[in-house]
Structures are given as C-alpha cells and as structure tokens.
Amino acid sequence: MIEGTKLAEGKGIVSDLIVDSNVIIDTFDPASDNHADSLSFMTSILERQRLLAMPMHGWFEIVCNVNKIKAERK
C-alpha cells in the first residue's frame, strides 16, 4: 500500500457520496441536456473538497466517452 492513501484505518477510502459516471461524462459534454446541471454539481464537489466514490468500471466509461467527445470535435 502506498503511504498516505488510506483515509480511515481498516475501512479504505470512505465516502458518503456515490456518483454515476454519466454525471462526470455530462460535465465534459456541452451537447448533453444535463451538461449545465452536471457541471454545477461537479464544481460544487470540487469547491467543497468532497470525496466521492464511483464503481471501478466508471473510469473506463469516462475515458471512452471523453475520447469520443474529443474525436467528434475534430
């Protein structure tokens, strides 16, 4: 284990907020109907320095969709 990554002894990372990957994806997609709400929500999370949790496969979904959004902009 890398030093300093564990936030609570015996419990791993503890979060009271679980976010679906679609919320994060919509933050990066101005064409999404939910873009403004997602951007506002994620900005609030960052400003309040909240720790959030997401299923591991969510990161795969985010990378794939953000790459797709970037490719469509070209």
Side-chain angles (χ1 to χ4, degrees):
M1 167 158 228
I2 299 172
E3 282 299 317
T5 58
K6 202 165 197 179
L7 301 179
E9 188 59 40
K11 295 184 180 181
I13 295 176
V14 177
S15 173
D16 61 347
L17 185 63
I18 298 173
V19 176
D20 186 77
S21 61
N22 289 330
V23 175
I24 298 172
I25 293 165
D26 287 342
T27 301
F28 293 101
D29 186 3
S32 167
D33 292 339
N34 300 313
H35 174 71
D37 290 334
S38 294
L39 183 58
S40 175
F41 175 74
M42 292 306 293
T43 299
S44 171
I45 294 299
L46 290 171
E47 288 172 351
R48 296 183 330 195
Q49 297 183 349
R50 295 284 305 270
L51 181 66
L52 56 88
M54 181 178 56
M56 289 295 291
H57 68 274
W59 293 113
F60 174 77
E61 293 174 356
I62 291 169
V63 169
C64 289
N65 280 279
V66 169
N67 285 336
K68 178 183 171 201
I69 293 166
K70 285 170 48 177
E72 290 172 351
R73 289 183 185 166
K74 290 182 181 180

